[in-house]
Amino acid sequence: MIYAEILGNIRSALRNGEKPTITRIQLKVNVPFVRFKEYWEDLKARGLINAESEINLTKEGERYLEEYHKVREFLEEFGFIKEEDDTENDKII
């Protein structure tokens, strides 16, 4: 799911000591900026990210990622999605 990809890129940047930016994240998830902006605003409205002065995940954003990964592992285990083909299969779910 695109939300998990956005949140995962924020988490990855922060863990690597990088400062996540909207442009960098948008380029990594590879969606048109107009659509990305809609996702971004929704993530903020749902309280999953904080983008006031710097971009950070909230506790709920971290929880979302953890739960998302649990669901993915479950679906992979039963063969509903393939581990190596994340992007295409996320659209099917």
Side-chain angles (χ1 to χ4, degrees):
M1 177 174 215
I2 192 72
Y3 286 2
E5 195 172 345
I6 293 169
L7 296 173
N9 276 290
I10 294 169
R11 180 198 276 176
S12 178
L14 292 169
R15 286 184 176 175
N16 291 330
E18 301 169 3
K19 182 178 177 182
T21 65
I22 291 176
T23 304
R24 248 186 243 161
I25 297 164
Q26 183 261 327
L27 291 172
K28 285 187 177 193
V29 297
N30 196 29
V31 295
F33 189 75
V34 173
R35 188 174 309 147
F36 177 81
K37 192 69 172 164
E38 292 173 12
Y39 297 142
W40 189 258
E41 293 303 320
D42 195 33
L43 287 168
K44 288 193 322 187
R46 293 174 185 271
L48 301 177
I49 60 172
N50 179 6
E52 301 276 326
S53 58
E54 291 185 3
I55 298 170
N56 288 301
L57 295 180
T58 63
K59 288 181 182 179
E60 282 300 306
E62 288 285 350
R63 184 171 160 250
Y64 177 97
L65 276 178
E66 295 304 318
E67 296 300 323
Y68 175 81
H69 288 295
K70 288 178 188 176
V71 170
R72 277 202 59 88
E73 287 176 12
F74 176 81
L75 293 172
E76 288 168 6
E77 183 178 328
F78 286 93
F80 288 106
I81 58 175
K82 297 178 185 174
E83 185 175 350
E84 68 275 356
D85 195 13
D86 294 346
T87 334
E88 287 304 312
N89 286 314
D90 282 346
K91 293 177 186 172
I92 295 171
I93 297 172

